[in-house]
Amino acid sequence: MKLKSVLMAALISLSFLPTKADEGMWLPLLLGELNEAEMQAMGMRITAQDIYDANNSSIKDAIVHFGGFCTGEMISPEGLLLTNHHCGYGAIQSHSSVENDYLTDGYWAKNKGQELPNEGLYAMFIKYIVDVTDEVLQELPAGVSEEDREKLIQKIGEGFVEQETEGTHYGGYVRSFFNGNQFFMFITETFPDVRLVGAPPSSIGKYGADTDNWMWPRHTGDFSLFRVYMGPDGLPAEYSEDNVPYRPKHHLPISLKGYEPGDFSMVFGFPGRTQEYLPSVAIEQLTAEVNPARIELREEALAIMDKYMRADDEIRIQYASSFASIANYWKKWIGENTGLRESRAIERKRNAEADFRQKVSEMKNFKDEANIFAEYEKLYNKQLPYALARNYYVELGFRMLKTPGYALDWADVVNAKSGEDRDEAIAKLKADLDAHFKNYSELVEHDLWEKLVPFYASQVNDTYLAESLVALKGENMDAKISSMFYDSYITQPQKLKELLEGSPKKVAKKISKDPIYQLSMDMYSAYRSKVYGEYYGIEAELDLLHRRYMKALMAAFPDSTFYPDANSTLRVTYGQVKGFAPKDAVSYQHYTTMDGLVAKYVPGDYEFDLPKRMLELANERNYGQYANENGELPICFIAANHTTGGNSGSPALDADGNLIGLNFDRAWEGTMSDINYDVRRCRNIMVDARYILWTVDVFAGAGYLLDEMTLVRKPVEEPEEAVAE
Ligand code: ARG
Ligand code: ASP
């Protein structure tokens, strides 16, 4: 086996990075082959098999896909699960009300009976992974169209999983890697009973909120605790009082030993999506067109929501999750654009592309690929207007406004084929009424319609808009939309409830004439008929280019070790704990402390207020066993581990595989890591395990939870021997 650092030489020239050791999201089952030697050379004291073993218990048995959108890990033999506060946020919000405001005050179950069930939330383990590349390719008929290819692979994958899991309670999926050049099957075990155990107040779990989001230095205690339950027979089971705590095959010991700069660290979890092999033309479009468009639209929406949330506690709770998710990527894209510019990503890509062209033009089988960038340019330019129209519509119609999606549900009533179907559809909507309007405020929705819809209509070319929307354009478009809003039933819960008292026939008739229902449906059909098909047709052509490019790239640089883009599958990423210097004269230390946390305190502030108890404990320096050797309480730290969205809640492990932190974010200068990782400016941000334990134990007085954990302490120093006389 050759050393990766040697293998990397060609790739280094390709992307012009000073070092590649920290880059990459690796498949656990290939670690032995590709990474183990380098990991150990960097200080890791365990083996690849300790991390991933299909047959014996290994660290991977402690890692779960949390609800499909975050990562979580087992930290006790009784199924105790650690993840981020922002990952548990939806669950915490759903149990909160103005009277029992767990978002603001936190929540600590005093015993298992107080742990709160969460419908729809699940914990998924990976049992084992199989390379099925040859098998998939064998089943694919030659000459299949790109659109059919995707669907076929899906079907083939489902068949493989069915065969593999027959007679078991396991599930699974096959995913494509390297843009459709390789395929792996993941066999899964999913537990649907996951209960909320504990959450700190938002003043800890979301400290610094959006001002500090994506920023270093950071002082957020972004963690929450859940517990996985199983049926009495040991199998996954829906929530039931008879369920018992799950017994994982492995749980992570938690280390109080901390870390030094340069120490080995790795993050194990489910990164969602990266695009490290995009051509320069795609990055140009993203930074010049797509990102600015979506940043601007989100800014408008956030300003409206923020105004109401600050004024009204009920609205604050109702919109907490939705605001956080809109704000999150709004800020990320701003950072991404800045980072791509400052790291000269486009220039670097162009140089790399010139190298590639040079290389393949000398290769018999890949000569044609020298022209691939011209093909890319043609397709991306053709796609751009559709990409913009699509982004605007999806953002507005499915993320910011709550009514357009709801109108689609009502279409089942309006378009029902029989009286029976209609009555059934109405009954269903009646039953879901309260759920739909739970996180809904007429005031907020009205302002979003009144301001965002005209904005949308002004930004998108008329060709891609509904004719009825274009007809509303003009001086008092906002006033027109406002009166439509108040003439509508589906925007106003009280009015809708009253309507639902009447006969189903009348309900259907009224809704079919409802102005916001009609406008929503028109906007949707315009999107489907004028944008969707074109956009995805070109996307399929691009997929083929991506696959060809990746294949040629791997052939042109055979001595390089490539890593596949993130695709929500289980990965390991490793590097070193270290600070960074993102620009001239600026340099960051690798960890923050309680002193820095208190220094940010602003009494009564929306983002930087602190609980009184916290200030008292900090003032007394009551850090228990959690202080570092300088007597400080460490709060957050950074490392060069290549992570992305979905890695939130992933454990940060030390050289022995013990948990030293909880991954939750990246530093703003490096949010471009999804497209152009650069170790000089890319850092992931973790909460220090000692701060988590301090919060549970000292701050919240929930130390009983520590009894079930495995803590690893520094060896006690031998007392000096008395000198014999
Ligand atoms: N930026 C982190 C991540 O991408 C944390 C997000 C938490 N949400 C927020 N709006 N503060 O998920
Ligand atoms: N905060 C992100 C998450 O929720 C992690 C990241 O993007 O670095 O997964």
Side-chain angles (χ1 to χ4, degrees):
M1 188 172 56
K2 285 182 268 181
L3 254 186
K4 199 178 96 197
S5 49
V6 179
L7 295 177
M8 282 302 206
L11 195 63
I12 292 170
S13 82
L14 184 71
S15 41
F16 307 98
L17 294 175
T19 160
K20 299 287 290 183
D22 311 88
E23 179 173 355
M25 302 169 166
W26 306 94
L27 270 158
L29 87 159
L30 301 180
L31 287 178
E33 200 180 311
L34 299 177
N35 314 92
E36 186 182 54
E38 186 185 65
M39 292 168 94
Q40 290 174 341
M42 289 171 76
M44 184 176 78
R45 286 183 287 265
I46 56 178
T47 65
Q49 209 176 1
D50 295 326
I51 299 171
Y52 173 87
D53 189 332
N55 304 311
N56 303 293
S57 77
S58 56
I59 295 176
K60 76 124 174 59
D61 296 315
I63 314 297
V64 307
H65 210 170
F66 182 80
F69 53 86
C70 271
T71 304
E73 54 274 0
M74 298 285 103
I75 53 165
S76 94
E78 294 180 76
L80 195 60
L81 181 154
L82 177 66
T83 188
N84 290 142
H85 184 263
H86 81 262
C87 296
Y89 205 62
I92 304 166
Q93 178 195 13
S94 77
H95 296 293
S96 295
S97 59
V98 176
E99 299 77 45
N100 285 315
D101 187 352
Y102 303 146
L103 285 177
T104 302
D105 305 326
Y107 179 77
W108 302 98
K110 293 203 173 59
N111 52 56
K112 298 204 172 78
Q114 290 186 355
E115 298 177 355
L116 304 171
N118 301 287
E119 212 187 312
L121 188 61
Y122 62 83
M124 188 189 76
F125 292 84
I126 301 297
K127 303 310 289 185
Y128 58 95
I129 309 169
V130 193
D131 183 347
V132 291
T133 306
D134 293 342
E135 291 81 350
V136 169
L137 292 178
Q138 206 159 30
E139 302 256 326
L140 269 183
V144 60
S145 83
E146 200 55 27
E147 265 162 314
D148 291 344
R149 188 179 194 264
E150 268 314 298
K151 283 184 211 131
L152 241 138
I153 289 172
Q154 179 81 14
K155 237 178 82 195
I156 295 167
E158 281 164 17
F160 285 0
V161 169
E162 209 170 291
Q163 219 174 36
E164 184 75 17
T165 58
E166 211 194 309
T168 73
H169 64 280
Y170 294 156
Y173 42 78
V174 169
R175 289 277 160 82
S176 133
F177 289 73
F178 293 114
N179 299 332
N181 285 297
Q182 288 182 22
F183 302 90
F184 289 86
M185 174 165 67
F186 297 76
I187 299 302
T188 61
E189 184 177 28
T190 304
F191 291 82
D193 184 359
V194 180
R195 303 185 196 170
L196 176 64
V197 174
S202 287
S203 52
I204 292 178
K206 200 180 157 84
Y207 188 59
D210 292 303
T211 298
D212 265 13
N213 189 23
W214 298 110
M215 300 294 242
W216 185 255
R218 188 67 155 275
H219 301 84
T220 311
D222 196 344
F223 79 95
S224 60
L225 292 166
F226 287 78
R227 191 185 304 281
V228 177
Y229 279 80
M230 62 183 180
D233 56 359
L235 296 177
E238 292 293 337
Y239 170 79
S240 152
E241 276 187 28
D242 301 335
N243 285 354
V244 297
Y246 171 66
R247 304 200 69 85
K249 278 173 44 189
H250 181 75
H251 68 271
L252 300 173
I254 302 179
S255 168
L256 301 179
K257 293 198 275 190
Y259 39 76
E260 296 293 329
D263 277 359
F264 175 85
S265 71
M266 65 180 165
V267 172
F268 203 174
F270 291 86
R273 182 169 138 94
T274 58
Q275 299 171 287
E276 306 290 345
Y277 305 100
L278 276 186
S280 57
V281 50
I283 301 179
E284 272 177 307
Q285 261 184 18
L286 186 76
T287 50
E289 306 275 355
V290 179
N291 275 350
R294 30 191 202 182
I295 289 166
E296 205 181 1
L297 182 64
R298 286 196 172 199
E299 215 151 87
E300 299 276 326
L302 289 169
I304 295 167
M305 294 165 77
D306 187 59
K307 188 178 90 192
Y308 287 104
M309 287 171 74
R310 284 185 194 236
D312 184 311
D313 267 347
E314 193 185 343
I315 296 180
R316 172 180 57 76
I317 295 173
Q318 286 178 320
Y319 282 79
S321 259
S322 147
F323 184 93
S325 92
I326 295 173
N328 194 34
Y329 266 60
W330 161 74
K331 192 164 181 185
K332 190 230 167 183
W333 290 324
I334 298 174
E336 184 171 273
N337 262 13
T338 313
L340 289 170
R341 192 181 63 241
E342 288 181 356
S343 66
R344 296 172 185 268
I346 295 172
E347 203 178 310
R348 287 158 129 211
K349 283 271 176 186
R350 284 218 195 95
N351 290 337
E353 287 165 9
D355 278 5
F356 170 85
R357 271 200 305 269
Q358 169 74 34
K359 261 261 163 24
V360 289
S361 60
E362 292 157 10
M363 296 167 73
K364 221 168 88 211
N365 294 334
F366 289 94
K367 263 209 306 283
D368 292 347
E369 305 302 25
N371 294 322
I372 201 160
F373 302 110
E375 290 182 61
Y376 262 131
E377 194 167 337
K378 219 171 92 200
L379 281 178
Y380 273 112
N381 287 340
K382 195 167 140 201
Q383 194 190 38
L384 181 61
Y386 302 104
L388 288 172
R390 175 180 165 274
N391 255 296
Y392 272 116
Y393 178 74
V394 172
E395 284 275 306
L396 177 81
F398 289 116
R399 184 179 286 279
M400 288 151 191
L401 298 176
K402 303 209 165 153
T403 319
Y406 195 46
L408 290 180
D409 296 344
W410 276 99
D412 290 347
V413 173
V414 174
N415 303 325
K417 293 231 162 50
S418 67
E420 220 168 70
D421 286 359
R422 178 197 62 207
D423 296 358
E424 202 178 297
I426 291 181
K428 191 165 171 290
L429 280 158
K430 230 173 165 167
D432 292 344
L433 196 77
D434 288 339
H436 172 71
F437 287 107
K438 180 168 187 251
N439 293 326
Y440 182 95
S441 147
E442 252 168 71
L443 288 173
V444 178
E445 186 78 0
H446 170 269
D447 279 22
L448 291 172
W449 270 94
E450 189 190 57
K451 299 205 171 67
L452 296 188
V453 174
F455 181 73
Y456 161 71
S458 73
Q459 296 299 302
V460 177
N461 193 308
D462 285 0
T463 347
Y464 307 117
L465 294 177
E467 277 152 35
S468 60
L469 182 65
V470 176
L472 290 172
K473 282 171 87 162
E475 231 168 65
N476 42 17
M477 185 176 189
D478 49 352
K480 287 185 214 158
I481 295 204
S482 171
S483 71
M484 287 165 77
F485 186 93
Y486 288 122
D487 285 341
S488 163
Y489 291 96
I490 59 171
T491 54
Q492 301 178 87
Q494 199 44 44
K495 220 172 128 181
L496 184 60
K497 249 181 222 159
E498 281 158 26
L499 176 68
L500 281 166
E501 305 280 308
S503 77
K505 204 165 160 188
K506 182 176 164 205
V507 172
K509 195 161 160 216
K510 287 279 187 194
I511 298 292
S512 72
K513 296 197 175 133
D514 183 306
I516 293 288
Y517 169 78
Q518 286 178 341
L519 182 57
S520 298
M521 294 310 290
D522 289 350
M523 283 161 61
Y524 178 69
S525 11
Y527 166 65
R528 289 296 295 203
S529 61
K530 301 174 175 188
V531 178
Y532 184 93
E534 295 283 349
Y535 175 84
Y536 282 103
I538 302 168
E539 193 67 6
E541 290 181 65
L542 281 168
D543 283 345
L544 175 58
L545 284 194
H546 294 326
R547 189 161 82 252
R548 278 171 42 197
Y549 181 35
M550 195 71 232
K551 191 169 177 183
L553 203 54
M554 293 168 104
F557 300 95
D559 294 333
S560 304
T561 307
F562 290 88
Y563 62 92
D565 271 324
N567 58 358
S568 291
T569 59
L570 185 62
R571 306 289 180 92
V572 171
T573 170
Y574 55 93
Q576 290 170 323
V577 174
K578 58 180 166 191
F580 69 123
K583 56 176 143 201
D584 195 22
V586 174
S587 90
Y588 290 124
Q589 184 179 272
H590 66 287
Y591 74 102
T592 59
T593 66
M594 183 59 105
D595 298 326
L597 190 154
V598 172
K600 282 182 176 172
Y601 167 55
V602 182
D605 185 68
Y606 180 67
E607 302 184 300
F608 291 97
D609 201 6
L610 284 172
K612 232 175 97 204
R613 176 167 171 75
M614 180 113 170
L615 291 162
E616 284 162 12
L617 293 167
N619 195 35
E620 295 159 11
R621 300 188 86 76
N622 185 343
Y623 300 155
Q625 59 179 329
Y626 309 108
N628 66 11
E629 46 295 327
N630 307 327
E632 303 155 326
L633 183 63
I635 304 292
C636 291
F637 66 109
I638 51 175
N641 294 316
H642 188 178
T643 56
T644 188
N647 267 127
S648 273
S650 300
L653 304 172
D654 67 8
D656 299 307
N658 297 329
L659 187 142
I660 48 173
L662 181 63
N663 187 72
F664 72 102
D665 210 0
R666 280 170 283 162
W668 215 38
E669 291 84 349
T671 54
M672 42 61 122
S673 66
D674 291 344
I675 294 164
N676 183 42
Y677 184 89
D678 182 339
V679 72
R680 290 172 302 187
R681 50 193 299 137
C682 294
R683 292 291 178 277
N684 63 315
I685 307 180
M686 297 148 283
V687 202
D688 194 297
R690 292 166 292 188
Y691 180 44
I692 295 174
L693 295 180
W694 177 86
T695 303
V696 175
D697 180 6
V698 182
F699 172 79
Y704 51 90
L705 287 169
L706 271 63
D707 296 344
E708 59 181 285
M709 302 177 191
T710 306
L711 303 187
V712 182
R713 294 183 176 80
K714 276 193 183 137
V716 185
E717 275 167 41
E718 298 287 325
E720 262 176 60
E721 266 172 59
V723 184
E725 291 284 312

